[in-house]
PDB file of all heavy atoms in Angstrom:
ATOM      1  N   THR Q 218     -18.428   4.518  24.704  1.00  0.00           N
ATOM      2  CA  THR Q 218     -19.775   4.591  25.407  1.00  0.00           C
ATOM      3  C   THR Q 218     -19.647   3.713  26.626  1.00  0.00           C
ATOM      4  O   THR Q 218     -19.551   2.471  26.478  1.00  0.00           O
ATOM      5  CB  THR Q 218     -20.899   4.075  24.438  1.00  0.00           C
ATOM      6  OG1 THR Q 218     -20.864   4.922  23.229  1.00  0.00           O
ATOM      7  CG2 THR Q 218     -22.271   4.291  25.142  1.00  0.00           C
ATOM      8  N   MET Q 219     -19.669   4.373  27.731  1.00  0.00           N
ATOM      9  CA  MET Q 219     -19.402   3.672  29.002  1.00  0.00           C
ATOM     10  C   MET Q 219     -20.351   4.014  30.072  1.00  0.00           C
ATOM     11  O   MET Q 219     -21.205   4.882  29.969  1.00  0.00           O
ATOM     12  CB  MET Q 219     -17.972   4.093  29.491  1.00  0.00           C
ATOM     13  CG  MET Q 219     -16.866   3.870  28.521  1.00  0.00           C
ATOM     14  SD  MET Q 219     -16.555   2.043  28.185  1.00  0.00           S
ATOM     15  CE  MET Q 219     -15.946   1.516  29.764  1.00  0.00           C
ATOM     16  N   GLY Q 220     -20.238   3.281  31.160  1.00  0.00           N
ATOM     17  CA  GLY Q 220     -20.930   3.562  32.462  1.00  0.00           C
ATOM     18  C   GLY Q 220     -22.383   3.697  32.293  1.00  0.00           C
ATOM     19  O   GLY Q 220     -23.090   2.869  31.625  1.00  0.00           O
ATOM     20  N   GLY Q 221     -22.939   4.757  32.927  1.00  0.00           N
ATOM     21  CA  GLY Q 221     -24.405   4.944  33.000  1.00  0.00           C
ATOM     22  C   GLY Q 221     -25.082   5.026  31.623  1.00  0.00           C
ATOM     23  O   GLY Q 221     -26.338   4.825  31.552  1.00  0.00           O
ATOM     24  N   CYS Q 222     -24.412   5.476  30.589  1.00  0.00           N
ATOM     25  CA  CYS Q 222     -25.072   5.596  29.262  1.00  0.00           C
ATOM     26  C   CYS Q 222     -25.100   4.159  28.691  1.00  0.00           C
ATOM     27  O   CYS Q 222     -26.129   3.792  28.126  1.00  0.00           O
ATOM     28  CB  CYS Q 222     -24.278   6.510  28.360  1.00  0.00           C
ATOM     29  SG  CYS Q 222     -24.401   8.223  28.923  1.00  0.00           S
ATOM     30  N   MET Q 223     -24.022   3.473  28.788  1.00  0.00           N
ATOM     31  CA  MET Q 223     -23.994   2.064  28.252  1.00  0.00           C
ATOM     32  C   MET Q 223     -24.993   1.156  29.069  1.00  0.00           C
ATOM     33  O   MET Q 223     -25.589   0.346  28.460  1.00  0.00           O
ATOM     34  CB  MET Q 223     -22.611   1.478  28.335  1.00  0.00           C
ATOM     35  CG  MET Q 223     -22.387   0.245  27.462  1.00  0.00           C
ATOM     36  SD  MET Q 223     -22.603   0.458  25.708  1.00  0.00           S
ATOM     37  CE  MET Q 223     -23.658  -0.829  25.340  1.00  0.00           C
ATOM     38  N   ALA Q 224     -25.078   1.471  30.350  1.00  0.00           N
ATOM     39  CA  ALA Q 224     -26.010   0.621  31.179  1.00  0.00           C
ATOM     40  C   ALA Q 224     -27.402   1.131  31.186  1.00  0.00           C
ATOM     41  O   ALA Q 224     -28.150   0.804  32.089  1.00  0.00           O
ATOM     42  CB  ALA Q 224     -25.343   0.523  32.604  1.00  0.00           C
ATOM     43  N   SER Q 225     -27.739   1.950  30.224  1.00  0.00           N
ATOM     44  CA  SER Q 225     -29.206   2.287  30.128  1.00  0.00           C
ATOM     45  C   SER Q 225     -29.481   2.411  28.636  1.00  0.00           C
ATOM     46  O   SER Q 225     -29.412   1.381  27.920  1.00  0.00           O
ATOM     47  CB  SER Q 225     -29.499   3.574  30.848  1.00  0.00           C
ATOM     48  OG  SER Q 225     -28.806   4.736  30.407  1.00  0.00           O
ATOM     49  N   PHE Q 226     -29.811   3.638  28.096  1.00  0.00           N
ATOM     50  CA  PHE Q 226     -30.417   3.728  26.751  1.00  0.00           C
ATOM     51  C   PHE Q 226     -29.530   3.072  25.646  1.00  0.00           C
ATOM     52  O   PHE Q 226     -30.036   2.481  24.726  1.00  0.00           O
ATOM     53  CB  PHE Q 226     -30.708   5.133  26.430  1.00  0.00           C
ATOM     54  CG  PHE Q 226     -29.569   6.104  26.412  1.00  0.00           C
ATOM     55  CD1 PHE Q 226     -28.768   6.239  25.285  1.00  0.00           C
ATOM     56  CD2 PHE Q 226     -29.200   6.821  27.513  1.00  0.00           C
ATOM     57  CE1 PHE Q 226     -27.651   7.127  25.253  1.00  0.00           C
ATOM     58  CE2 PHE Q 226     -28.112   7.712  27.503  1.00  0.00           C
ATOM     59  CZ  PHE Q 226     -27.346   7.784  26.387  1.00  0.00           C
ATOM     60  N   ALA Q 227     -28.231   3.214  25.778  1.00  0.00           N
ATOM     61  CA  ALA Q 227     -27.312   2.771  24.674  1.00  0.00           C
ATOM     62  C   ALA Q 227     -27.466   1.286  24.395  1.00  0.00           C
ATOM     63  O   ALA Q 227     -27.268   0.790  23.280  1.00  0.00           O
ATOM     64  CB  ALA Q 227     -25.884   3.201  24.932  1.00  0.00           C
ATOM     65  N   ALA Q 228     -27.732   0.543  25.540  1.00  0.00           N
ATOM     66  CA  ALA Q 228     -27.807  -0.930  25.414  1.00  0.00           C
ATOM     67  C   ALA Q 228     -29.248  -1.440  25.037  1.00  0.00           C
ATOM     68  O   ALA Q 228     -29.462  -2.625  25.048  1.00  0.00           O
ATOM     69  CB  ALA Q 228     -27.331  -1.543  26.707  1.00  0.00           C
ATOM     70  N   LEU Q 229     -30.168  -0.522  24.816  1.00  0.00           N
ATOM     71  CA  LEU Q 229     -31.531  -0.915  24.654  1.00  0.00           C
ATOM     72  C   LEU Q 229     -32.112  -0.782  23.240  1.00  0.00           C
ATOM     73  O   LEU Q 229     -33.340  -0.723  23.100  1.00  0.00           O
ATOM     74  CB  LEU Q 229     -32.403  -0.099  25.739  1.00  0.00           C
ATOM     75  CG  LEU Q 229     -32.059  -0.379  27.138  1.00  0.00           C
ATOM     76  CD1 LEU Q 229     -32.764   0.645  28.106  1.00  0.00           C
ATOM     77  CD2 LEU Q 229     -32.452  -1.824  27.549  1.00  0.00           C
ATOM     78  N   GLY Q 230     -31.281  -0.804  22.321  1.00  0.00           N
ATOM     79  CA  GLY Q 230     -31.738  -0.768  20.908  1.00  0.00           C
ATOM     80  C   GLY Q 230     -32.489  -1.971  20.500  1.00  0.00           C
ATOM     81  O   GLY Q 230     -32.210  -3.075  21.001  1.00  0.00           O
ATOM     82  N   ASP Q 231     -33.441  -1.798  19.595  1.00  0.00           N
ATOM     83  CA  ASP Q 231     -34.061  -3.021  18.921  1.00  0.00           C
ATOM     84  C   ASP Q 231     -33.007  -3.591  18.011  1.00  0.00           C
ATOM     85  O   ASP Q 231     -32.952  -4.813  17.858  1.00  0.00           O
ATOM     86  CB  ASP Q 231     -35.277  -2.526  18.085  1.00  0.00           C
ATOM     87  CG  ASP Q 231     -36.417  -2.087  18.989  1.00  0.00           C
ATOM     88  OD1 ASP Q 231     -36.917  -2.884  19.752  1.00  0.00           O
ATOM     89  OD2 ASP Q 231     -36.812  -0.894  18.880  1.00  0.00           O
ATOM     90  N   VAL Q 232     -32.180  -2.644  17.396  1.00  0.00           N
ATOM     91  CA  VAL Q 232     -31.062  -3.135  16.633  1.00  0.00           C
ATOM     92  C   VAL Q 232     -29.872  -2.285  17.062  1.00  0.00           C
ATOM     93  O   VAL Q 232     -30.035  -1.069  17.290  1.00  0.00           O
ATOM     94  CB  VAL Q 232     -31.225  -2.960  15.131  1.00  0.00           C
ATOM     95  CG1 VAL Q 232     -30.069  -3.487  14.323  1.00  0.00           C
ATOM     96  CG2 VAL Q 232     -32.587  -3.641  14.632  1.00  0.00           C
ATOM     97  N   THR Q 233     -28.774  -2.864  17.321  1.00  0.00           N
ATOM     98  CA  THR Q 233     -27.588  -2.144  17.803  1.00  0.00           C
ATOM     99  C   THR Q 233     -26.388  -2.308  16.882  1.00  0.00           C
ATOM    100  O   THR Q 233     -25.933  -3.431  16.606  1.00  0.00           O
ATOM    101  CB  THR Q 233     -27.236  -2.571  19.262  1.00  0.00           C
ATOM    102  OG1 THR Q 233     -28.372  -2.647  20.032  1.00  0.00           O
ATOM    103  CG2 THR Q 233     -26.241  -1.635  19.889  1.00  0.00           C
ATOM    104  N   LEU Q 234     -25.857  -1.128  16.412  1.00  0.00           N
ATOM    105  CA  LEU Q 234     -24.705  -1.107  15.617  1.00  0.00           C
ATOM    106  C   LEU Q 234     -23.522  -0.508  16.359  1.00  0.00           C
ATOM    107  O   LEU Q 234     -23.838   0.357  17.259  1.00  0.00           O
ATOM    108  CB  LEU Q 234     -24.976  -0.167  14.402  1.00  0.00           C
ATOM    109  CG  LEU Q 234     -25.796  -0.586  13.159  1.00  0.00           C
ATOM    110  CD1 LEU Q 234     -27.175  -0.967  13.630  1.00  0.00           C
ATOM    111  CD2 LEU Q 234     -25.820   0.574  12.186  1.00  0.00           C
ATOM    112  N   ALA Q 235     -22.312  -0.870  16.090  1.00  0.00           N
ATOM    113  CA  ALA Q 235     -21.197  -0.112  16.720  1.00  0.00           C
ATOM    114  C   ALA Q 235     -20.176   0.220  15.689  1.00  0.00           C
ATOM    115  O   ALA Q 235     -20.024  -0.526  14.626  1.00  0.00           O
ATOM    116  CB  ALA Q 235     -20.565  -0.986  17.757  1.00  0.00           C
ATOM    117  N   GLU Q 236     -19.442   1.318  15.900  1.00  0.00           N
ATOM    118  CA  GLU Q 236     -18.329   1.568  14.984  1.00  0.00           C
ATOM    119  C   GLU Q 236     -17.169   0.655  15.379  1.00  0.00           C
ATOM    120  O   GLU Q 236     -17.106   0.193  16.521  1.00  0.00           O
ATOM    121  CB  GLU Q 236     -17.930   3.026  15.170  1.00  0.00           C
ATOM    122  CG  GLU Q 236     -19.015   3.959  14.649  1.00  0.00           C
ATOM    123  CD  GLU Q 236     -18.548   5.425  14.365  1.00  0.00           C
ATOM    124  OE1 GLU Q 236     -17.530   5.840  15.059  1.00  0.00           O
ATOM    125  OE2 GLU Q 236     -19.136   6.110  13.536  1.00  0.00           O
ATOM    126  N   PRO Q 237     -16.282   0.375  14.446  1.00  0.00           N
ATOM    127  CA  PRO Q 237     -15.168  -0.550  14.741  1.00  0.00           C
ATOM    128  C   PRO Q 237     -14.310  -0.008  15.914  1.00  0.00           C
ATOM    129  O   PRO Q 237     -14.192   1.212  16.064  1.00  0.00           O
ATOM    130  CB  PRO Q 237     -14.362  -0.475  13.456  1.00  0.00           C
ATOM    131  CG  PRO Q 237     -15.287  -0.106  12.365  1.00  0.00           C
ATOM    132  CD  PRO Q 237     -16.282   0.752  13.010  1.00  0.00           C
ATOM    133  N   LYS Q 238     -13.829  -0.894  16.715  1.00  0.00           N
ATOM    134  CA  LYS Q 238     -12.863  -0.617  17.747  1.00  0.00           C
ATOM    135  C   LYS Q 238     -13.361   0.322  18.841  1.00  0.00           C
ATOM    136  O   LYS Q 238     -12.524   0.880  19.596  1.00  0.00           O
ATOM    137  CB  LYS Q 238     -11.551  -0.086  17.168  1.00  0.00           C
ATOM    138  CG  LYS Q 238     -10.880  -0.968  16.158  1.00  0.00           C
ATOM    139  CD  LYS Q 238      -9.574  -0.509  15.728  1.00  0.00           C
ATOM    140  CE  LYS Q 238      -8.926  -1.545  14.746  1.00  0.00           C
ATOM    141  NZ  LYS Q 238      -7.616  -1.032  14.312  1.00  0.00           N
ATOM    142  N   ALA Q 239     -14.660   0.583  18.921  1.00  0.00           N
ATOM    143  CA  ALA Q 239     -15.136   1.546  19.976  1.00  0.00           C
ATOM    144  C   ALA Q 239     -15.000   0.819  21.304  1.00  0.00           C
ATOM    145  O   ALA Q 239     -15.290  -0.340  21.445  1.00  0.00           O
ATOM    146  CB  ALA Q 239     -16.582   1.903  19.619  1.00  0.00           C
ATOM    147  N   LEU Q 240     -14.708   1.645  22.334  1.00  0.00           N
ATOM    148  CA  LEU Q 240     -14.601   1.155  23.686  1.00  0.00           C
ATOM    149  C   LEU Q 240     -16.044   1.205  24.264  1.00  0.00           C
ATOM    150  O   LEU Q 240     -16.688   2.274  24.345  1.00  0.00           O
ATOM    151  CB  LEU Q 240     -13.665   2.010  24.516  1.00  0.00           C
ATOM    152  CG  LEU Q 240     -13.405   1.582  25.934  1.00  0.00           C
ATOM    153  CD1 LEU Q 240     -12.513   0.321  25.986  1.00  0.00           C
ATOM    154  CD2 LEU Q 240     -12.798   2.595  26.780  1.00  0.00           C
ATOM    155  N   LEU Q 241     -16.610   0.044  24.631  1.00  0.00           N
ATOM    156  CA  LEU Q 241     -17.983  -0.042  25.056  1.00  0.00           C
ATOM    157  C   LEU Q 241     -18.035  -0.910  26.344  1.00  0.00           C
ATOM    158  O   LEU Q 241     -17.514  -2.018  26.385  1.00  0.00           O
ATOM    159  CB  LEU Q 241     -18.860  -0.710  24.024  1.00  0.00           C
ATOM    160  CG  LEU Q 241     -18.704  -0.203  22.601  1.00  0.00           C
ATOM    161  CD1 LEU Q 241     -19.435  -1.152  21.598  1.00  0.00           C
ATOM    162  CD2 LEU Q 241     -19.231   1.209  22.455  1.00  0.00           C
ATOM    163  N   GLY Q 242     -18.540  -0.364  27.400  1.00  0.00           N
ATOM    164  CA  GLY Q 242     -18.618  -1.216  28.627  1.00  0.00           C
ATOM    165  C   GLY Q 242     -19.281  -0.493  29.770  1.00  0.00           C
ATOM    166  O   GLY Q 242     -19.689   0.599  29.766  1.00  0.00           O
ATOM    167  N   PHE Q 243     -19.330  -1.277  30.878  1.00  0.00           N
ATOM    168  CA  PHE Q 243     -19.936  -0.788  32.126  1.00  0.00           C
ATOM    169  C   PHE Q 243     -18.840  -0.062  32.995  1.00  0.00           C
ATOM    170  O   PHE Q 243     -18.829   1.120  33.114  1.00  0.00           O
ATOM    171  CB  PHE Q 243     -20.560  -1.891  32.905  1.00  0.00           C
ATOM    172  CG  PHE Q 243     -21.140  -1.487  34.219  1.00  0.00           C
ATOM    173  CD1 PHE Q 243     -22.234  -0.672  34.279  1.00  0.00           C
ATOM    174  CD2 PHE Q 243     -20.531  -1.958  35.396  1.00  0.00           C
ATOM    175  CE1 PHE Q 243     -22.729  -0.298  35.534  1.00  0.00           C
ATOM    176  CE2 PHE Q 243     -21.074  -1.596  36.648  1.00  0.00           C
ATOM    177  CZ  PHE Q 243     -22.157  -0.742  36.700  1.00  0.00           C
ATOM    178  N   ALA Q 244     -17.869  -0.770  33.419  1.00  0.00           N
ATOM    179  CA  ALA Q 244     -16.802  -0.201  34.246  1.00  0.00           C
ATOM    180  C   ALA Q 244     -15.610   0.156  33.334  1.00  0.00           C
ATOM    181  O   ALA Q 244     -15.378  -0.475  32.298  1.00  0.00           O
ATOM    182  CB  ALA Q 244     -16.370  -1.207  35.294  1.00  0.00           C
ATOM    183  N   GLY Q 245     -14.936   1.215  33.673  1.00  0.00           N
ATOM    184  CA  GLY Q 245     -13.779   1.642  32.928  1.00  0.00           C
ATOM    185  C   GLY Q 245     -12.616   0.676  33.074  1.00  0.00           C
ATOM    186  O   GLY Q 245     -12.557  -0.056  34.132  1.00  0.00           O
ATOM    187  N   PRO Q 246     -11.788   0.575  32.082  1.00  0.00           N
ATOM    188  CA  PRO Q 246     -10.699  -0.395  32.044  1.00  0.00           C
ATOM    189  C   PRO Q 246      -9.823  -0.244  33.262  1.00  0.00           C
ATOM    190  O   PRO Q 246      -9.331  -1.266  33.824  1.00  0.00           O
ATOM    191  CB  PRO Q 246      -9.938  -0.126  30.778  1.00  0.00           C
ATOM    192  CG  PRO Q 246     -10.883   0.654  29.945  1.00  0.00           C
ATOM    193  CD  PRO Q 246     -11.850   1.348  30.783  1.00  0.00           C
ATOM    194  N   THR Q 247      -9.547   0.974  33.729  1.00  0.00           N
ATOM    195  CA  THR Q 247      -8.666   1.133  34.910  1.00  0.00           C
ATOM    196  C   THR Q 247      -9.312   0.533  36.211  1.00  0.00           C
ATOM    197  O   THR Q 247      -8.603  -0.071  36.962  1.00  0.00           O
ATOM    198  CB  THR Q 247      -8.419   2.616  35.115  1.00  0.00           C
ATOM    199  OG1 THR Q 247      -8.185   3.238  33.831  1.00  0.00           O
ATOM    200  CG2 THR Q 247      -7.188   2.878  35.976  1.00  0.00           C
ATOM    201  N   VAL Q 248     -10.594   0.803  36.300  1.00  0.00           N
ATOM    202  CA  VAL Q 248     -11.311   0.218  37.483  1.00  0.00           C
ATOM    203  C   VAL Q 248     -11.152  -1.253  37.503  1.00  0.00           C
ATOM    204  O   VAL Q 248     -10.908  -1.868  38.530  1.00  0.00           O
ATOM    205  CB  VAL Q 248     -12.710   0.693  37.486  1.00  0.00           C
ATOM    206  CG1 VAL Q 248     -13.501   0.048  38.673  1.00  0.00           C
ATOM    207  CG2 VAL Q 248     -12.862   2.276  37.581  1.00  0.00           C
ATOM    208  N   ILE Q 249     -11.478  -1.869  36.287  1.00  0.00           N
ATOM    209  CA  ILE Q 249     -11.445  -3.318  36.202  1.00  0.00           C
ATOM    210  C   ILE Q 249      -9.992  -3.883  36.529  1.00  0.00           C
ATOM    211  O   ILE Q 249      -9.873  -4.810  37.268  1.00  0.00           O
ATOM    212  CB  ILE Q 249     -11.862  -3.741  34.783  1.00  0.00           C
ATOM    213  CG1 ILE Q 249     -13.261  -3.332  34.535  1.00  0.00           C
ATOM    214  CG2 ILE Q 249     -11.799  -5.238  34.635  1.00  0.00           C
ATOM    215  CD1 ILE Q 249     -13.752  -3.526  33.200  1.00  0.00           C
ATOM    216  N   LYS Q 250      -9.034  -3.162  35.950  1.00  0.00           N
ATOM    217  CA  LYS Q 250      -7.636  -3.578  36.197  1.00  0.00           C
ATOM    218  C   LYS Q 250      -7.345  -3.571  37.764  1.00  0.00           C
ATOM    219  O   LYS Q 250      -6.740  -4.499  38.242  1.00  0.00           O
ATOM    220  CB  LYS Q 250      -6.713  -2.571  35.501  1.00  0.00           C
ATOM    221  CG  LYS Q 250      -5.830  -3.190  34.491  1.00  0.00           C
ATOM    222  CD  LYS Q 250      -5.046  -2.042  33.895  1.00  0.00           C
ATOM    223  CE  LYS Q 250      -3.924  -2.324  33.077  1.00  0.00           C
ATOM    224  NZ  LYS Q 250      -3.510  -1.132  32.279  1.00  0.00           N
ATOM    225  N   ASN Q 251      -7.806  -2.527  38.409  1.00  0.00           N
ATOM    226  CA  ASN Q 251      -7.588  -2.412  39.826  1.00  0.00           C
ATOM    227  C   ASN Q 251      -8.344  -3.476  40.653  1.00  0.00           C
ATOM    228  O   ASN Q 251      -7.866  -3.939  41.694  1.00  0.00           O
ATOM    229  CB  ASN Q 251      -7.993  -1.066  40.315  1.00  0.00           C
ATOM    230  CG  ASN Q 251      -7.040   0.065  39.841  1.00  0.00           C
ATOM    231  OD1 ASN Q 251      -5.919  -0.224  39.430  1.00  0.00           O
ATOM    232  ND2 ASN Q 251      -7.495   1.295  39.903  1.00  0.00           N
ATOM    233  N   THR Q 252      -9.467  -3.861  40.086  1.00  0.00           N
ATOM    234  CA  THR Q 252     -10.297  -4.883  40.760  1.00  0.00           C
ATOM    235  C   THR Q 252      -9.659  -6.219  40.632  1.00  0.00           C
ATOM    236  O   THR Q 252      -9.563  -6.965  41.626  1.00  0.00           O
ATOM    237  CB  THR Q 252     -11.738  -4.980  40.148  1.00  0.00           C
ATOM    238  OG1 THR Q 252     -12.285  -3.692  40.136  1.00  0.00           O
ATOM    239  CG2 THR Q 252     -12.614  -5.911  40.935  1.00  0.00           C
TER     240      THR Q 252
END
Side-chain angles (χ1 to χ4, degrees):
Chain Q
T218 303
M219 302 295 291
C222 292
M223 194 63 228
S225 62
F226 63 84
L229 295 170
D231 291 299
V232 184
T233 311
L234 283 57
E236 293 197 333
K238 299 184 182 184
L240 186 73
L241 312 168
F243 177 67
T247 319
V248 175
I249 299 172
K250 239 177 170 164
N251 291 341
T252 307

